[in-house]
Amino acid sequence: MDGDRMEIDGGVMEGGGQILRVSTALSCLLGLPLRVRRIRAGRSQPGLRPQHLSGLEMIRDLCDGKLEGGDIGSTEITFTPGKIKGGTHIADTKTAGSVCLLMQVAMPCVLFAASPSELHLKGGTNAEMAPQIDYTVMVFKPIVEKFNFTFNCDIRRRGYYPQGGGEVIVQMSPVKELSPINLTERGTVTKIYGRAFVAGSLPIKLAKDMSAAAVRCIRKEIRDLYVNIQPVREPDNQAVGNGSGIIIVAETSTGCLLAGSSLGKRGKNSDKVGIEAAEILIRNLKHGGAVDDSLQDQLIIFMALAKGVSKVKSGPITLHTQTAIHFAEQLTKAKFTVTKSEEEDPSKDAYIIECQGMGMINSNL
């Protein structure tokens, strides 16, 4: 601590934008002034990229805070939060930077605002190195709403690498407090469904090929279940530029949702895209966890803020999750423990993430 400014080393562990997202969101919620050094020190292009900067600026604006060092390429920022306010907030990466990552940083904050919020998020909706918007809507949304809040997510336009241009509108009302979650019973897989998409000038055949290859791959592992992956072409007025990809979701008897997804790119065979997504899904089903590897780290901040004990059964803990836990513990009074799950089946590699949440209360309500 420097005076009463919390010092964050942005180069440890995962060493990327996630440290910035978790620490600035918690800074905003807790009213803790922050200094983050060595931002994205672990990346090939260190420092703030456009999507990180637009996320920071949105957090600054939604709490009337002060941001210093907010420039592209900057490796150190100081942030002094004010009071969180509802209303309309706009963040535009002006690139294919992920709208889903913008949503990750803003959502915990606006839950504790004084009034309802509307977030206009612009950038890439289906981008590399980030959840696809379809994942956010099909998997993240229904699971995170178990913390006892709801949000609406309207995909106005889809945007892809390199030009972005997508837009998503998220509406949510504040809550008094978050309830803890218990996601420890995986259950049996009851349904597998998904969508394979193309946009722009790409032919629908690519979507059909991705879907067929994914179905064949899943059939080898799971024989007795109908797999329904719809090939779709995004309407021209709802997508900017060319893009393709696939998301496949498995739903279980206990209401768990686990997924695998992949994006197409120039020179990448469409069968390979479908198989990649199917293999990720199968890997997520094999470890026996109740959440998939992409959801783990996204739940940590909500577990830390909730009132009471949350328990989540997951596969092997990802570096992103370890990083989120590290900074959630450093900034809040939440306590996390991770233990190997005692499995009847030795082929399973599952863990229990347990958190005694800090019990954040919305004093505005």
Side-chain angles (χ1 to χ4, degrees), residues 43-235:
R43 296 295 184 263
S44 56
Q45 277 186 301
L48 295 175
R49 305 302 306 142
Q51 68 266 32
H52 306 111
L53 184 53
S54 50
L56 282 174
E57 290 170 341
M58 177 171 51
I59 294 289
R60 176 197 65 197
D61 297 344
L62 62 82
C63 74
D64 276 332
K66 285 195 195 63
L67 174 65
E68 288 163 45
D71 306 290
I72 304 292
S74 167
T75 56
E76 183 173 324
I77 57 131
T78 61
F79 177 63
T80 312
K83 184 173 158 49
I84 304 173
K85 53 182 206 267
T88 302
H89 301 287
I90 298 170
D92 185 354
T93 66
K94 301 194 170 53
T95 63
S98 168
V99 297
C100 303
L101 296 180
L102 290 174
M103 200 186 304
Q104 271 184 30
V105 67
M107 188 175 283
C109 300
V110 295
L111 278 173
F112 292 90
S115 59
S117 300
E118 190 168 284
L119 308 172
H120 292 240
L121 310 174
K122 300 176 185 183
T125 56
N126 300 77
E128 291 281 7
M129 308 293 296
Q132 295 190 47
I133 192 65
D134 307 85
Y135 181 91
T136 300
V137 171
M138 295 165 79
V139 179
F140 172 78
K141 182 181 192 294
I143 302 292
V144 83
E145 286 180 340
K146 293 178 192 286
F147 286 101
N148 210 9
F149 69 91
T150 56
F151 68 96
N152 187 47
C153 181
D154 176 15
I155 306 169
R156 287 289 168 90
R157 256 190 331 278
R158 289 168 177 270
Y160 311 99
Y161 182 80
Q163 73 264 55
E167 181 176 11
V168 172
I169 297 179
V170 179
Q171 293 161 314
M172 55 198 308
S173 292
V175 293
K176 185 75 186 158
E177 59 187 23
L178 294 177
S179 305
I181 58 165
N182 189 323
L183 295 174
T184 52
E185 297 298 322
R186 217 292 298 278
T188 54
V189 178
T190 54
K191 272 194 244 183
I192 297 180
Y193 52 89
R195 73 195 295 270
F197 66 87
V198 290
S201 60
L202 300 179
I204 187 73
K205 182 184 185 303
L206 294 183
K208 291 176 174 164
D209 290 350
M210 287 188 280
S211 168
V215 170
R216 283 195 303 274
C217 184
I218 293 166
R219 281 275 152 72
K220 289 186 193 132
E221 298 285 335
I222 302 173
R223 289 176 189 81
D224 49 352
L225 220 51
Y226 174 62
V227 180
N228 178 16
I229 304 170
Q230 292 285 322
V232 291
R233 189 173 182 289
E234 307 293 4

Side-chain angles (χ1 to χ4, degrees), residues 289-360:
V291 299
D292 66 31
D293 298 350
S294 300
L295 195 63
Q296 273 183 31
D297 70 287
Q298 297 182 59
L299 297 177
I300 298 302
I301 190 166
F302 298 100
M303 293 168 76
L305 294 168
K307 184 183 181 182
V309 177
S310 291
K311 274 188 187 181
V312 173
K313 186 178 189 179
S314 73
I317 308 296
T318 65
L319 183 54
H320 265 100
T321 300
Q322 292 170 29
T323 306
I325 289 173
H326 175 83
F327 289 100
E329 286 192 324
Q330 189 180 337
L331 291 161
T332 70
K333 293 188 170 68
K335 271 283 158 272
F336 285 85
T337 53
V338 176
T339 48
K340 183 96 171 75
S341 179
E342 298 305 320
E343 295 293 326
E344 303 76 67
D345 179 349
S347 73
K348 299 273 184 258
D349 192 11
Y351 295 79
I352 302 284
I353 306 170
E354 192 171 323
C355 174
Q356 173 68 57
M358 66 167 285
M360 178 86 184

